[in-house]
Amino acid sequence: MGTTKPWLAHNTGDFGEAFANVEGIDFMIDDNPWGWYNVRGHRPLRFTSASATSFIPCPNDRCRRGGFDFGTFLRNHTYGSKITDIDKSYPCSGDEGTPAGRRKGDPCMNSFKVKGTITYKSGAE
């Protein structure tokens, strides 16, 4: 297995190991819901159990330290036992400060539109 980012307390590249009670996920994440950053092209991202990544960077060129932590999002939503549908917007965690990070600027105005389903394994509590 190649280099992986930690999902929980240890490194794993296996979604099933990181989220043992989850059968599967199917999410569309729009990192540019208002079209402000179309210079890079507008591309809603689709995530499944086989293609999930732990972090989505912010498309705002002025944003520093921002993005959407999909790994933390999943950890906060995978403790159920029924199918969970999510359709919500989450603000970017970054700011429009200086590139070197010496000065923190105004909060980034971008958000991430998250829509999807978490399906749990039968018998998961």
Side-chain angles (χ1 to χ4, degrees):
M1 193 175 331
T3 309
T4 60
K5 292 186 91 170
W7 279 95
L8 295 173
H10 63 282
N11 288 338
T12 182
D14 183 20
F15 183 88
E17 184 181 335
F19 303 103
N21 66 329
V22 175
E23 178 80 29
I25 61 169
D26 188 11
F27 279 94
M28 289 295 289
I29 300 177
D30 191 348
D31 65 352
N32 187 9
W34 298 294
W36 292 344
Y37 313 107
N38 281 340
V39 173
R40 294 184 181 176
H42 187 223
R43 62 199 194 304
L45 308 166
R46 183 166 186 196
F47 292 99
T48 63
S49 304
S51 67
T53 184
S54 63
F55 188 79
I56 302 160
C58 182
N60 180 358
D61 288 333
R62 296 186 61 204
C63 181
R64 304 291 178 250
R65 300 165 288 279
F68 181 66
D69 192 342
F70 191 55
T72 300
F73 167 82
L74 284 176
R75 280 193 301 275
N76 290 333
H77 286 87
T78 56
Y79 294 105
S81 59
K82 298 179 182 174
I83 293 176
T84 302
D85 290 318
I86 298 165
D87 188 2
K88 194 171 178 183
S89 288
Y90 295 89
C92 178
S93 60
D95 61 89
E96 294 185 354
T98 59
R102 286 185 221 121
R103 187 176 332 148
K104 188 173 180 180
D106 294 329
C108 179
M109 297 302 291
N110 192 33
S111 69
F112 294 83
K113 176 76 173 146
V114 179
K115 184 174 184 173
T117 303
I118 301 172
T119 306
Y120 301 95
K121 291 180 180 174
S122 61
E125 309 269 18

